[in-house]
Amino acid sequence: MQTRLGIVLFLCSAAVIVAYNNGYAKSPLLGWQTWCAVGACGTDHCFDGQIRETADALVSTGMRDLGYEWVVLDDCWHPMRGSDGVLVPHASFFPHGMRPVIDYV
């Protein structure tokens, strides 16, 4: 009985393995994240120019061609809530808002 159960479990897991062989996630997501990258954690700040420079560096050093495609902004952009409850970036760090930076990257 245990042998049959083992065979059934093996066949079920083999089907799952084949189902997930769809070409995605052949490598981990590669890129740069702001978390603790620009100062001590909790005191780090990122800003418009820094994000653009980092994106430029990923391209100019050839890292983008190697799969480094992500620039992730963690909480260092210091969002606040507008009067409508929507998150807005710290005006000193992103004087033109987030859209121009996102479009650039």
Side-chain angles (χ1 to χ4, degrees):
M1 182 66 177
Q2 283 184 322
T3 303
R4 287 184 184 172
L5 180 60
I7 291 171
V8 169
L9 290 175
F10 172 77
L11 292 174
C12 289
S13 65
V16 171
I17 292 169
V18 171
Y20 283 104
N21 187 12
N22 59 10
Y24 290 105
K26 289 186 177 184
S27 66
L29 297 175
L30 302 172
W32 179 79
Q33 181 173 335
T34 60
W35 180 255
C36 299
V38 294
C41 286
T43 63
D44 51 339
H45 306 290
C46 59
F47 53 92
D48 184 307
Q50 174 193 54
I51 302 305
R52 292 172 190 252
E53 289 171 8
T54 301
D56 289 342
L58 289 174
V59 174
S60 68
T61 61
M63 292 179 74
R64 181 187 62 179
D65 297 334
L66 295 173
Y68 287 78
E69 300 175 343
W70 292 88
V71 175
V72 179
L73 295 178
D74 213 312
D75 64 349
C76 69
W77 61 286
H78 295 280
M80 298 168 281
R81 297 261 178 203
S83 59
D84 57 358
V86 174
L87 287 173
V88 294
H90 194 288
S92 298
F93 303 138
F94 295 90
H96 305 290
M98 297 302 288
R99 177 54 56 190
V101 179
I102 293 166
D103 289 344
Y104 184 85
V105 172

